[in-house]
Amino acid sequence: MMELSYQSMKIAHQAREADELRTETRRKSLLILIYQHLLGQGYVAAAVALDQETNGGVKRFEVCDNIDLEMVLMEYESYHYVKFQKYPKLIRRTAGPGQAENRFARSGGVKRSPGSAVKPLPKINPSQSPQSGNGAKKTAASSHTNENGSSVFPELSEFVLNVSSIRNGAGGEAAMNRKGQMSDGKGPIHDAVKGAGSDSDHMERLLKPLSGFSGMSGEMRDLAAIISRDIYLHSPNVRWEDIIGLEDAKRLVKEAVVYPIKYPQLFTGILSPWKGLLLYGPPGTGKTLLAKAVATECKTTFFNISASSIVSKWRGDSEKLVRVLFELARYHAPSTIFLDELESVMSQRGTSMGGEHEGSRRMKTELLVQMDGLARSEDLVFVLAASNLPWELDHAMLRRLEKRILVSLPSTPARQAMISHWLPPLSSTGGVELRTELDYETLAKGMEGYSGSDIRLVCKEAAMRPVRKIFDALESHQEGDSDMPAIQLETVTTADFLDVIAHTKPSARNLMDRYAAWEREYESV
Ligand code: ADP
């Protein structure tokens, strides 16, 4: 009995010691982070003062693995969003000069040695934000001055002024603070992108309001620019009837995404709409077309993001890009976020050679966090993901893509419809008639295993043959006479077409079994 209680006391003691050590390390790390942040922002004198006050303690170590204060705050924001469906307000104005110092001194912060002064970060984020409006602008700008009269947070006061001016220019009150999500630095991106119109002035207007910033604001500008390049502000203009075949897939997509937007009253409780949908299947079968049709037919804002471009263009900071993307989508709701080539970012963890890149891991986590946020919110934002290699996808991501739809290779009737669509008996190319005499049924049967995009390529190649034959005549003619000869293209025949097929191999035939197997396996999980 004695033995037992001694053991448990010993364990409790060890646990307490480990806990204290952790707290101590956390506090030290925080000071080092602050030191590095100050240096990074150019507050050299403040950094030197901190170094002196800690007797050089902050210089003896460095933080590991890309941790920085901004990152910590971002993660806190994500956590807050998932928990409360809104972002926290990060700062509020102090009641009077010196109040912050007094508060800090009351807690004993100023005098303590490194290791006991700093509270955990989330607790320094109270819940009120600066007021908007002109009066508030002035106070906000002037309240950030220290005793010497110089600005303590130059970027911040400039930022507050700039936000207001953008808002006034881009729809005033209506454009601001929707669902409380756009204060604290998110406003400029929303408003800038929202205000973007035609392609030509799009980037200029996007960049203008943010151009006065440096540091963080430059980063926001980059994020907004990258996303706005991929955002369709106008309808992608693909109708359901433009998609040949794929009747099942179309029906399922409509059921999952279109009807909940059209008839929201029906989709509540157990029928609440899916937030994540995966379109999988061979390349070139119409997954992108389906996503675009959703955007066109439902008039949702369409964010077309190629997953690999998120990673390659924005390596280390791709998780920030993901966050801004979802913010924009919520703001423009109803929105469709189309994530193409999902496997290139959401492959199973740790499968890549040499382990996972830290930035890519953070990005995956952010994507999962954002998807969870969607699932808990009422926002009409849908994630439509597409993958050619679903078996490579991360399981945590798959769980969040609740609805999965196989977009398979076209059936024989669909292939026939495609060929007759792209090569009808009579069409016109550049004012010149193109005639075909094709046995559509035979050709469709001969193209088993070809994807929609393969078939389109074959049709193009078949149409190109008679055109090629007239190039010589055209070229020799131009050197002499100025009158164009009457051009007569040869008719495209079934034999021509079969010849093209013989030279073009289908790209994904042998993968079909694998999709079917994956579908079976997944259904049984
Ligand atoms: P993916 O499945 O790789 O996203 P896409 O939707 O981008 O394929 O299709 C590529 C091209 O192939 C389309 O732009 C279209 O021209 C053609 N295509 C593929 N499937 C179809 C289809 N079912 N109906 C009409 N065109 C199709």
Side-chain angles (χ1 to χ4, degrees), residues 435-468:
R435 288 171 193 279
T436 63
E437 271 175 21
L438 298 172
D439 179 350
Y440 293 118
E441 206 180 321
T442 310
L443 294 177
K445 281 185 186 144
M447 295 194 84
E448 196 180 340
Y450 284 70
S451 70
S453 104
D454 292 338
I455 295 172
R456 194 166 176 272
L457 274 180
V458 169
C459 290
K460 191 174 171 185
E461 182 55 32
M464 197 61 204
R465 290 193 159 198
V467 175
R468 253 186 222 126

PDB file of all heavy atoms in Angstrom, residues 435-468:
ATOM      1  N   ARG A 435     -17.050  19.246 -94.840  1.00  0.00           N
ATOM      2  CA  ARG A 435     -18.063  18.194 -94.921  1.00  0.00           C
ATOM      3  C   ARG A 435     -17.484  16.881 -94.404  1.00  0.00           C
ATOM      4  O   ARG A 435     -16.283  16.630 -94.553  1.00  0.00           O
ATOM      5  CB  ARG A 435     -18.507  17.981 -96.378  1.00  0.00           C
ATOM      6  CG  ARG A 435     -19.354  19.098 -96.892  1.00  0.00           C
ATOM      7  CD  ARG A 435     -19.601  18.974 -98.391  1.00  0.00           C
ATOM      8  NE  ARG A 435     -20.163  20.224 -98.867  1.00  0.00           N
ATOM      9  CZ  ARG A 435     -21.447  20.542 -98.748  1.00  0.00           C
ATOM     10  NH1 ARG A 435     -22.298  19.707 -98.197  1.00  0.00           N
ATOM     11  NH2 ARG A 435     -21.886  21.711 -99.192  1.00  0.00           N
ATOM     12  N   THR A 436     -18.352  16.094 -93.807  1.00  0.00           N
ATOM     13  CA  THR A 436     -17.897  14.771 -93.363  1.00  0.00           C
ATOM     14  C   THR A 436     -18.904  13.713 -93.806  1.00  0.00           C
ATOM     15  O   THR A 436     -20.099  13.997 -93.950  1.00  0.00           O
ATOM     16  CB  THR A 436     -17.792  14.697 -91.829  1.00  0.00           C
ATOM     17  OG1 THR A 436     -19.090  14.885 -91.272  1.00  0.00           O
ATOM     18  CG2 THR A 436     -16.843  15.732 -91.256  1.00  0.00           C
ATOM     19  N   GLU A 437     -18.393  12.539 -94.044  1.00  0.00           N
ATOM     20  CA  GLU A 437     -19.255  11.382 -94.317  1.00  0.00           C
ATOM     21  C   GLU A 437     -18.782  10.283 -93.389  1.00  0.00           C
ATOM     22  O   GLU A 437     -17.874   9.522 -93.733  1.00  0.00           O
ATOM     23  CB  GLU A 437     -19.093  10.949 -95.771  1.00  0.00           C
ATOM     24  CG  GLU A 437     -20.048  11.650 -96.707  1.00  0.00           C
ATOM     25  CD  GLU A 437     -19.763  11.288 -98.171  1.00  0.00           C
ATOM     26  OE1 GLU A 437     -19.125  10.241 -98.422  1.00  0.00           O
ATOM     27  OE2 GLU A 437     -20.162  12.081 -99.028  1.00  0.00           O
ATOM     28  N   LEU A 438     -19.350  10.260 -92.210  1.00  0.00           N
ATOM     29  CA  LEU A 438     -18.812   9.364 -91.192  1.00  0.00           C
ATOM     30  C   LEU A 438     -19.863   8.374 -90.711  1.00  0.00           C
ATOM     31  O   LEU A 438     -21.033   8.731 -90.523  1.00  0.00           O
ATOM     32  CB  LEU A 438     -18.316  10.179 -89.987  1.00  0.00           C
ATOM     33  CG  LEU A 438     -17.182  11.178 -90.252  1.00  0.00           C
ATOM     34  CD1 LEU A 438     -16.928  12.037 -89.024  1.00  0.00           C
ATOM     35  CD2 LEU A 438     -15.902  10.451 -90.651  1.00  0.00           C
ATOM     36  N   ASP A 439     -19.406   7.162 -90.511  1.00  0.00           N
ATOM     37  CA  ASP A 439     -20.280   6.159 -89.907  1.00  0.00           C
ATOM     38  C   ASP A 439     -20.069   6.280 -88.386  1.00  0.00           C
ATOM     39  O   ASP A 439     -19.184   5.638 -87.804  1.00  0.00           O
ATOM     40  CB  ASP A 439     -19.867   4.773 -90.417  1.00  0.00           C
ATOM     41  CG  ASP A 439     -20.714   3.678 -89.811  1.00  0.00           C
ATOM     42  OD1 ASP A 439     -21.480   3.975 -88.863  1.00  0.00           O
ATOM     43  OD2 ASP A 439     -20.596   2.522 -90.261  1.00  0.00           O
ATOM     44  N   TYR A 440     -20.859   7.139 -87.795  1.00  0.00           N
ATOM     45  CA  TYR A 440     -20.643   7.476 -86.376  1.00  0.00           C
ATOM     46  C   TYR A 440     -20.674   6.246 -85.462  1.00  0.00           C
ATOM     47  O   TYR A 440     -19.893   6.132 -84.526  1.00  0.00           O
ATOM     48  CB  TYR A 440     -21.687   8.496 -85.903  1.00  0.00           C
ATOM     49  CG  TYR A 440     -21.548   9.854 -86.566  1.00  0.00           C
ATOM     50  CD1 TYR A 440     -22.574  10.366 -87.359  1.00  0.00           C
ATOM     51  CD2 TYR A 440     -20.402  10.609 -86.421  1.00  0.00           C
ATOM     52  CE1 TYR A 440     -22.459  11.601 -87.971  1.00  0.00           C
ATOM     53  CE2 TYR A 440     -20.267  11.851 -87.033  1.00  0.00           C
ATOM     54  CZ  TYR A 440     -21.291  12.346 -87.809  1.00  0.00           C
ATOM     55  OH  TYR A 440     -21.159  13.558 -88.407  1.00  0.00           O
ATOM     56  N   GLU A 441     -21.593   5.345 -85.788  1.00  0.00           N
ATOM     57  CA  GLU A 441     -21.755   4.182 -84.913  1.00  0.00           C
ATOM     58  C   GLU A 441     -20.476   3.337 -84.899  1.00  0.00           C
ATOM     59  O   GLU A 441     -19.966   2.973 -83.836  1.00  0.00           O
ATOM     60  CB  GLU A 441     -22.952   3.369 -85.390  1.00  0.00           C
ATOM     61  CG  GLU A 441     -23.576   2.569 -84.279  1.00  0.00           C
ATOM     62  CD  GLU A 441     -24.767   1.766 -84.780  1.00  0.00           C
ATOM     63  OE1 GLU A 441     -25.534   2.293 -85.627  1.00  0.00           O
ATOM     64  OE2 GLU A 441     -24.916   0.616 -84.339  1.00  0.00           O
ATOM     65  N   THR A 442     -19.960   3.070 -86.098  1.00  0.00           N
ATOM     66  CA  THR A 442     -18.740   2.247 -86.193  1.00  0.00           C
ATOM     67  C   THR A 442     -17.572   2.944 -85.490  1.00  0.00           C
ATOM     68  O   THR A 442     -16.814   2.315 -84.740  1.00  0.00           O
ATOM     69  CB  THR A 442     -18.361   2.041 -87.682  1.00  0.00           C
ATOM     70  OG1 THR A 442     -19.517   1.593 -88.359  1.00  0.00           O
ATOM     71  CG2 THR A 442     -17.225   1.062 -87.839  1.00  0.00           C
ATOM     72  N   LEU A 443     -17.471   4.231 -85.725  1.00  0.00           N
ATOM     73  CA  LEU A 443     -16.347   4.969 -85.115  1.00  0.00           C
ATOM     74  C   LEU A 443     -16.446   4.954 -83.594  1.00  0.00           C
ATOM     75  O   LEU A 443     -15.447   4.758 -82.897  1.00  0.00           O
ATOM     76  CB  LEU A 443     -16.323   6.414 -85.620  1.00  0.00           C
ATOM     77  CG  LEU A 443     -16.009   6.587 -87.111  1.00  0.00           C
ATOM     78  CD1 LEU A 443     -16.076   8.052 -87.508  1.00  0.00           C
ATOM     79  CD2 LEU A 443     -14.632   6.013 -87.439  1.00  0.00           C
ATOM     80  N   ALA A 444     -17.667   5.143 -83.090  1.00  0.00           N
ATOM     81  CA  ALA A 444     -17.848   5.145 -81.630  1.00  0.00           C
ATOM     82  C   ALA A 444     -17.439   3.794 -81.056  1.00  0.00           C
ATOM     83  O   ALA A 444     -16.770   3.727 -80.014  1.00  0.00           O
ATOM     84  CB  ALA A 444     -19.299   5.458 -81.288  1.00  0.00           C
ATOM     85  N   LYS A 445     -17.802   2.720 -81.761  1.00  0.00           N
ATOM     86  CA  LYS A 445     -17.429   1.387 -81.257  1.00  0.00           C
ATOM     87  C   LYS A 445     -15.917   1.196 -81.281  1.00  0.00           C
ATOM     88  O   LYS A 445     -15.347   0.549 -80.409  1.00  0.00           O
ATOM     89  CB  LYS A 445     -18.103   0.309 -82.116  1.00  0.00           C
ATOM     90  CG  LYS A 445     -19.569   0.111 -81.738  1.00  0.00           C
ATOM     91  CD  LYS A 445     -20.185  -1.035 -82.497  1.00  0.00           C
ATOM     92  CE  LYS A 445     -21.683  -1.099 -82.198  1.00  0.00           C
ATOM     93  NZ  LYS A 445     -22.457  -1.515 -83.364  1.00  0.00           N
ATOM     94  N   GLY A 446     -15.286   1.790 -82.279  1.00  0.00           N
ATOM     95  CA  GLY A 446     -13.827   1.634 -82.405  1.00  0.00           C
ATOM     96  C   GLY A 446     -13.046   2.500 -81.418  1.00  0.00           C
ATOM     97  O   GLY A 446     -11.819   2.425 -81.374  1.00  0.00           O
ATOM     98  N   MET A 447     -13.740   3.310 -80.657  1.00  0.00           N
ATOM     99  CA  MET A 447     -13.013   4.223 -79.753  1.00  0.00           C
ATOM    100  C   MET A 447     -13.227   3.901 -78.280  1.00  0.00           C
ATOM    101  O   MET A 447     -13.161   4.777 -77.427  1.00  0.00           O
ATOM    102  CB  MET A 447     -13.415   5.677 -80.015  1.00  0.00           C
ATOM    103  CG  MET A 447     -13.004   6.149 -81.390  1.00  0.00           C
ATOM    104  SD  MET A 447     -13.103   7.940 -81.528  1.00  0.00           S
ATOM    105  CE  MET A 447     -11.557   8.448 -80.851  1.00  0.00           C
ATOM    106  N   GLU A 448     -13.424   2.651 -77.997  1.00  0.00           N
ATOM    107  CA  GLU A 448     -13.626   2.293 -76.599  1.00  0.00           C
ATOM    108  C   GLU A 448     -12.353   2.617 -75.795  1.00  0.00           C
ATOM    109  O   GLU A 448     -11.240   2.375 -76.259  1.00  0.00           O
ATOM    110  CB  GLU A 448     -13.946   0.811 -76.471  1.00  0.00           C
ATOM    111  CG  GLU A 448     -14.531   0.560 -75.111  1.00  0.00           C
ATOM    112  CD  GLU A 448     -14.888  -0.882 -74.852  1.00  0.00           C
ATOM    113  OE1 GLU A 448     -15.041  -1.640 -75.819  1.00  0.00           O
ATOM    114  OE2 GLU A 448     -15.003  -1.206 -73.664  1.00  0.00           O
ATOM    115  N   GLY A 449     -12.536   3.176 -74.630  1.00  0.00           N
ATOM    116  CA  GLY A 449     -11.371   3.500 -73.785  1.00  0.00           C
ATOM    117  C   GLY A 449     -10.851   4.910 -74.001  1.00  0.00           C
ATOM    118  O   GLY A 449      -9.981   5.370 -73.265  1.00  0.00           O
ATOM    119  N   TYR A 450     -11.391   5.621 -75.013  1.00  0.00           N
ATOM    120  CA  TYR A 450     -10.956   6.996 -75.245  1.00  0.00           C
ATOM    121  C   TYR A 450     -11.747   7.931 -74.334  1.00  0.00           C
ATOM    122  O   TYR A 450     -12.943   7.751 -74.141  1.00  0.00           O
ATOM    123  CB  TYR A 450     -11.194   7.400 -76.709  1.00  0.00           C
ATOM    124  CG  TYR A 450     -10.189   6.809 -77.676  1.00  0.00           C
ATOM    125  CD1 TYR A 450     -10.194   5.436 -77.950  1.00  0.00           C
ATOM    126  CD2 TYR A 450      -9.261   7.603 -78.318  1.00  0.00           C
ATOM    127  CE1 TYR A 450      -9.274   4.891 -78.831  1.00  0.00           C
ATOM    128  CE2 TYR A 450      -8.341   7.066 -79.208  1.00  0.00           C
ATOM    129  CZ  TYR A 450      -8.346   5.707 -79.461  1.00  0.00           C
ATOM    130  OH  TYR A 450      -7.440   5.168 -80.326  1.00  0.00           O
ATOM    131  N   SER A 451     -11.077   8.924 -73.807  1.00  0.00           N
ATOM    132  CA  SER A 451     -11.777   9.912 -72.968  1.00  0.00           C
ATOM    133  C   SER A 451     -12.387  10.980 -73.871  1.00  0.00           C
ATOM    134  O   SER A 451     -12.067  11.043 -75.076  1.00  0.00           O
ATOM    135  CB  SER A 451     -10.794  10.566 -72.006  1.00  0.00           C
ATOM    136  OG  SER A 451      -9.914  11.402 -72.732  1.00  0.00           O
ATOM    137  N   GLY A 452     -13.223  11.837 -73.308  1.00  0.00           N
ATOM    138  CA  GLY A 452     -13.818  12.933 -74.069  1.00  0.00           C
ATOM    139  C   GLY A 452     -12.751  13.792 -74.723  1.00  0.00           C
ATOM    140  O   GLY A 452     -12.855  14.165 -75.886  1.00  0.00           O
ATOM    141  N   SER A 453     -11.695  14.066 -73.941  1.00  0.00           N
ATOM    142  CA  SER A 453     -10.684  14.954 -74.516  1.00  0.00           C
ATOM    143  C   SER A 453      -9.869  14.224 -75.591  1.00  0.00           C
ATOM    144  O   SER A 453      -9.471  14.832 -76.581  1.00  0.00           O
ATOM    145  CB  SER A 453      -9.841  15.583 -73.406  1.00  0.00           C
ATOM    146  OG  SER A 453      -8.613  15.027 -73.307  1.00  0.00           O
ATOM    147  N   ASP A 454      -9.666  12.893 -75.451  1.00  0.00           N
ATOM    148  CA  ASP A 454      -9.012  12.117 -76.532  1.00  0.00           C
ATOM    149  C   ASP A 454      -9.839  12.218 -77.808  1.00  0.00           C
ATOM    150  O   ASP A 454      -9.306  12.426 -78.901  1.00  0.00           O
ATOM    151  CB  ASP A 454      -8.931  10.626 -76.159  1.00  0.00           C
ATOM    152  CG  ASP A 454      -7.977  10.355 -75.004  1.00  0.00           C
ATOM    153  OD1 ASP A 454      -7.094  11.189 -74.771  1.00  0.00           O
ATOM    154  OD2 ASP A 454      -8.130   9.311 -74.335  1.00  0.00           O
ATOM    155  N   ILE A 455     -11.159  12.057 -77.653  1.00  0.00           N
ATOM    156  CA  ILE A 455     -12.035  12.040 -78.833  1.00  0.00           C
ATOM    157  C   ILE A 455     -12.005  13.403 -79.530  1.00  0.00           C
ATOM    158  O   ILE A 455     -11.950  13.488 -80.755  1.00  0.00           O
ATOM    159  CB  ILE A 455     -13.480  11.655 -78.426  1.00  0.00           C
ATOM    160  CG1 ILE A 455     -13.486  10.220 -77.896  1.00  0.00           C
ATOM    161  CG2 ILE A 455     -14.448  11.795 -79.598  1.00  0.00           C
ATOM    162  CD1 ILE A 455     -14.783   9.772 -77.283  1.00  0.00           C
ATOM    163  N   ARG A 456     -11.989  14.431 -78.727  1.00  0.00           N
ATOM    164  CA  ARG A 456     -11.937  15.772 -79.310  1.00  0.00           C
ATOM    165  C   ARG A 456     -10.646  15.955 -80.120  1.00  0.00           C
ATOM    166  O   ARG A 456     -10.656  16.512 -81.211  1.00  0.00           O
ATOM    167  CB  ARG A 456     -12.013  16.802 -78.182  1.00  0.00           C
ATOM    168  CG  ARG A 456     -12.303  18.175 -78.646  1.00  0.00           C
ATOM    169  CD  ARG A 456     -12.710  19.058 -77.481  1.00  0.00           C
ATOM    170  NE  ARG A 456     -12.898  20.420 -77.936  1.00  0.00           N
ATOM    171  CZ  ARG A 456     -11.924  21.304 -77.985  1.00  0.00           C
ATOM    172  NH1 ARG A 456     -10.720  20.966 -77.605  1.00  0.00           N
ATOM    173  NH2 ARG A 456     -12.154  22.520 -78.437  1.00  0.00           N
ATOM    174  N   LEU A 457      -9.562  15.442 -79.554  1.00  0.00           N
ATOM    175  CA  LEU A 457      -8.276  15.554 -80.261  1.00  0.00           C
ATOM    176  C   LEU A 457      -8.300  14.794 -81.581  1.00  0.00           C
ATOM    177  O   LEU A 457      -7.803  15.275 -82.604  1.00  0.00           O
ATOM    178  CB  LEU A 457      -7.152  14.983 -79.381  1.00  0.00           C
ATOM    179  CG  LEU A 457      -6.544  15.938 -78.395  1.00  0.00           C
ATOM    180  CD1 LEU A 457      -5.451  15.243 -77.588  1.00  0.00           C
ATOM    181  CD2 LEU A 457      -5.938  17.146 -79.138  1.00  0.00           C
ATOM    182  N   VAL A 458      -8.884  13.583 -81.551  1.00  0.00           N
ATOM    183  CA  VAL A 458      -8.959  12.770 -82.775  1.00  0.00           C
ATOM    184  C   VAL A 458      -9.804  13.515 -83.822  1.00  0.00           C
ATOM    185  O   VAL A 458      -9.434  13.594 -84.999  1.00  0.00           O
ATOM    186  CB  VAL A 458      -9.557  11.369 -82.464  1.00  0.00           C
ATOM    187  CG1 VAL A 458      -9.892  10.629 -83.755  1.00  0.00           C
ATOM    188  CG2 VAL A 458      -8.573  10.561 -81.634  1.00  0.00           C
ATOM    189  N   CYS A 459     -10.929  14.080 -83.388  1.00  0.00           N
ATOM    190  CA  CYS A 459     -11.795  14.824 -84.320  1.00  0.00           C
ATOM    191  C   CYS A 459     -11.025  15.994 -84.932  1.00  0.00           C
ATOM    192  O   CYS A 459     -11.112  16.265 -86.126  1.00  0.00           O
ATOM    193  CB  CYS A 459     -13.035  15.356 -83.607  1.00  0.00           C
ATOM    194  SG  CYS A 459     -14.177  14.057 -83.141  1.00  0.00           S
ATOM    195  N   LYS A 460     -10.258  16.661 -84.112  1.00  0.00           N
ATOM    196  CA  LYS A 460      -9.510  17.818 -84.592  1.00  0.00           C
ATOM    197  C   LYS A 460      -8.475  17.376 -85.632  1.00  0.00           C
ATOM    198  O   LYS A 460      -8.322  17.997 -86.692  1.00  0.00           O
ATOM    199  CB  LYS A 460      -8.813  18.468 -83.388  1.00  0.00           C
ATOM    200  CG  LYS A 460      -8.233  19.803 -83.691  1.00  0.00           C
ATOM    201  CD  LYS A 460      -7.701  20.444 -82.435  1.00  0.00           C
ATOM    202  CE  LYS A 460      -6.926  21.684 -82.823  1.00  0.00           C
ATOM    203  NZ  LYS A 460      -6.281  22.314 -81.709  1.00  0.00           N
ATOM    204  N   GLU A 461      -7.809  16.283 -85.301  1.00  0.00           N
ATOM    205  CA  GLU A 461      -6.782  15.777 -86.215  1.00  0.00           C
ATOM    206  C   GLU A 461      -7.426  15.345 -87.537  1.00  0.00           C
ATOM    207  O   GLU A 461      -6.898  15.626 -88.613  1.00  0.00           O
ATOM    208  CB  GLU A 461      -6.055  14.613 -85.528  1.00  0.00           C
ATOM    209  CG  GLU A 461      -4.929  13.985 -86.315  1.00  0.00           C
ATOM    210  CD  GLU A 461      -3.860  14.980 -86.760  1.00  0.00           C
ATOM    211  OE1 GLU A 461      -3.623  15.958 -86.019  1.00  0.00           O
ATOM    212  OE2 GLU A 461      -3.292  14.791 -87.860  1.00  0.00           O
ATOM    213  N   ALA A 462      -8.584  14.691 -87.450  1.00  0.00           N
ATOM    214  CA  ALA A 462      -9.271  14.241 -88.674  1.00  0.00           C
ATOM    215  C   ALA A 462      -9.679  15.445 -89.518  1.00  0.00           C
ATOM    216  O   ALA A 462      -9.559  15.425 -90.750  1.00  0.00           O
ATOM    217  CB  ALA A 462     -10.487  13.395 -88.310  1.00  0.00           C
ATOM    218  N   ALA A 463     -10.130  16.511 -88.867  1.00  0.00           N
ATOM    219  CA  ALA A 463     -10.554  17.712 -89.598  1.00  0.00           C
ATOM    220  C   ALA A 463      -9.353  18.437 -90.200  1.00  0.00           C
ATOM    221  O   ALA A 463      -9.456  19.127 -91.202  1.00  0.00           O
ATOM    222  CB  ALA A 463     -11.304  18.647 -88.661  1.00  0.00           C
ATOM    223  N   MET A 464      -8.201  18.240 -89.572  1.00  0.00           N
ATOM    224  CA  MET A 464      -6.987  18.939 -90.013  1.00  0.00           C
ATOM    225  C   MET A 464      -6.455  18.373 -91.321  1.00  0.00           C
ATOM    226  O   MET A 464      -5.819  19.085 -92.107  1.00  0.00           O
ATOM    227  CB  MET A 464      -5.940  18.771 -88.895  1.00  0.00           C
ATOM    228  CG  MET A 464      -4.793  19.720 -88.944  1.00  0.00           C
ATOM    229  SD  MET A 464      -5.364  21.411 -88.795  1.00  0.00           S
ATOM    230  CE  MET A 464      -4.003  22.235 -89.598  1.00  0.00           C
ATOM    231  N   ARG A 465      -6.736  17.085 -91.558  1.00  0.00           N
ATOM    232  CA  ARG A 465      -6.142  16.436 -92.756  1.00  0.00           C
ATOM    233  C   ARG A 465      -6.498  17.152 -94.063  1.00  0.00           C
ATOM    234  O   ARG A 465      -5.587  17.526 -94.799  1.00  0.00           O
ATOM    235  CB  ARG A 465      -6.568  14.974 -92.799  1.00  0.00           C
ATOM    236  CG  ARG A 465      -5.886  14.210 -91.688  1.00  0.00           C
ATOM    237  CD  ARG A 465      -6.025  12.745 -91.860  1.00  0.00           C
ATOM    238  NE  ARG A 465      -4.983  12.083 -91.102  1.00  0.00           N
ATOM    239  CZ  ARG A 465      -4.611  10.838 -91.289  1.00  0.00           C
ATOM    240  NH1 ARG A 465      -5.179  10.114 -92.226  1.00  0.00           N
ATOM    241  NH2 ARG A 465      -3.659  10.315 -90.546  1.00  0.00           N
ATOM    242  N   PRO A 466      -7.806  17.341 -94.361  1.00  0.00           N
ATOM    243  CA  PRO A 466      -8.114  18.044 -95.625  1.00  0.00           C
ATOM    244  C   PRO A 466      -7.596  19.485 -95.626  1.00  0.00           C
ATOM    245  O   PRO A 466      -7.211  20.001 -96.682  1.00  0.00           O
ATOM    246  CB  PRO A 466      -9.642  18.006 -95.700  1.00  0.00           C
ATOM    247  CG  PRO A 466     -10.116  17.670 -94.348  1.00  0.00           C
ATOM    248  CD  PRO A 466      -9.029  16.908 -93.668  1.00  0.00           C
ATOM    249  N   VAL A 467      -7.540  20.096 -94.429  1.00  0.00           N
ATOM    250  CA  VAL A 467      -7.055  21.487 -94.372  1.00  0.00           C
ATOM    251  C   VAL A 467      -5.571  21.533 -94.760  1.00  0.00           C
ATOM    252  O   VAL A 467      -5.129  22.396 -95.511  1.00  0.00           O
ATOM    253  CB  VAL A 467      -7.277  22.079 -92.959  1.00  0.00           C
ATOM    254  CG1 VAL A 467      -6.666  23.464 -92.849  1.00  0.00           C
ATOM    255  CG2 VAL A 467      -8.762  22.144 -92.630  1.00  0.00           C
ATOM    256  N   ARG A 468      -4.828  20.532 -94.243  1.00  0.00           N
ATOM    257  CA  ARG A 468      -3.385  20.487 -94.565  1.00  0.00           C
ATOM    258  C   ARG A 468      -3.141  20.446 -96.073  1.00  0.00           C
ATOM    259  O   ARG A 468      -2.212  21.044 -96.582  1.00  0.00           O
ATOM    260  CB  ARG A 468      -2.787  19.235 -93.938  1.00  0.00           C
ATOM    261  CG  ARG A 468      -1.948  19.579 -92.748  1.00  0.00           C
ATOM    262  CD  ARG A 468      -1.220  18.396 -92.189  1.00  0.00           C
ATOM    263  NE  ARG A 468      -1.319  18.467 -90.748  1.00  0.00           N
ATOM    264  CZ  ARG A 468      -1.769  17.513 -89.969  1.00  0.00           C
ATOM    265  NH1 ARG A 468      -2.181  16.372 -90.483  1.00  0.00           N
ATOM    266  NH2 ARG A 468      -1.833  17.690 -88.665  1.00  0.00           N
TER     267      ARG A 468
END
